[in-house]
Amino acid sequence: MNTDISVSTWQAELAVDSRCTLGEGPQWDAINQRLYWCDILGKRLHWLSPATGESGHYQLDHMVSLATPLEGGGLLLVGEDRLCRFDTHSGSVETFCDFETDNPITRSNDARVDCHGSLWLSTMGKKAEKGAGSLYRLHRGKLTRLRSGLTIPNAICFSADGCFAWLTDTVTGVVMRWALDSEGWPKGEPQPWADFSSTLGNPDGAVVDSEGCLWLALWGAGQVVRLNHNGEIIGRVELPVSQPSCSAFAGPDLKTLYITTAQEGFSAEQLAQEPTAGSLYVVELDIAGLAEPPLRLE
């Protein structure tokens, strides 16, 4: 990577002291002005209303890694072996479809809606078993497997024009870019785009801003880095905890970046050093995020 590029730096601050075991999947609900995020291992869906500062959570009966707004209202939960409609008012959960129910070692991991209103989601082994994970696309209600043999698939996000998807298998340290056709389906093979295999931290979740730059969480490094079109670091958000997992732009102008974190695998000593690990962090920016459409099921 080019080390001569000027790098902007921001400091993230504590937003919600949620202390998730594995905080993941931050998602902005623009219609209801609410941020949702998950504690995968704690089986909880957290929420925050930034305008009022109110926050809370729903206790679920299975692991969930994303709650994304649906066209027409409500949320779709990306769960360990199922996709469910969720009513935030009543708390009712209705299964939409199952996946990998015959494989008890896997659960859902990263997920994001593309510019066509279709959901990409990944699975991985509950103990990060090598090659146990897969990548899927839910397009107009039909779930299609795009790739298998992955270990910790992450960093799913998309260019504004819909021409590319980004993704990584965290254990490789390499972020890939994948060309898409006019309907949002992959074509050809994904190509290496940014290599973190020899740096501190492993690539985790990612989100795209309105300038087409990628904001990538570096698990283990306590940073979210901003990457330009060439995959070079041009910005850095520093956190006081070491395991950031993913980011989401939120707020009326999409200039507030929320970052989920984790305390998964921490010893008592590590937890004492990072007492707010697993909490939600925030940084105010002068850069807007890329608005994401609601999920279309039909």
Side-chain angles (χ1 to χ4, degrees), residues 117-134:
S118 301
L119 176 73
W120 289 47
L121 65 120
S122 68
T123 61
M124 63 173 283
K126 292 173 182 173
K127 296 181 180 179
E129 289 87 346
K130 184 177 180 180
S134 295

Side-chain angles (χ1 to χ4, degrees), residues 79-145:
E80 58 185 287
D81 59 0
R82 73 202 86 160
L83 302 177
C84 298
R85 294 177 183 266
F86 182 66
D87 187 318
T88 57
H89 300 291
S90 67
S92 65
V93 180
E94 176 190 353
T95 299
F96 175 75
C97 73
D98 297 322
F99 59 89
E100 299 193 10
T101 53
D102 59 343
N103 189 355
I105 75 163
T106 60
R107 63 163 174 84
S108 65
N109 193 44
D110 198 30
R112 191 170 298 281
V113 174
D114 66 20
C115 62
H116 300 272
S118 301
L119 176 73
W120 289 47
L121 65 120
S122 68
T123 61
M124 63 173 283
K126 292 173 182 173
K127 296 181 180 179
E129 289 87 346
K130 184 177 180 180
S134 295
L135 178 68
Y136 297 85
R137 187 184 190 214
L138 179 72
H139 181 68
R140 306 302 180 260
K142 181 182 179 183
L143 192 64
T144 301
R145 192 194 306 255

Side-chain angles (χ1 to χ4, degrees), residues 28 72 136 200 219 249:
W28 179 239
Y136 297 85
L200 177 65
W219 178 278
F249 287 96

Side-chain angles (χ1 to χ4, degrees), residues 242-286:
S242 59
Q243 291 183 167
S245 54
C246 196
S247 306
F249 287 96
D253 57 4
L254 294 178
K255 289 185 177 181
T256 304
L257 189 74
Y258 286 98
I259 305 164
T260 51
T261 70
Q263 54 178 254
E264 182 185 15
F266 272 19
S267 64
E269 183 181 5
Q270 286 175 297
L271 201 54
Q273 292 172 348
E274 300 180 28
T276 58
S279 296
L280 183 72
Y281 282 82
V282 64
V283 60
E284 300 293 340
L285 302 169
D286 56 1

Side-chain angles (χ1 to χ4, degrees), residues 181-205:
D181 67 19
S182 60
E183 298 297 319
W185 294 102
K187 55 183 182 180
E189 288 294 310
Q191 300 299 314
W193 182 74
D195 190 342
F196 292 87
S197 60
S198 60
T199 62
L200 177 65
N202 299 309
D204 204 310

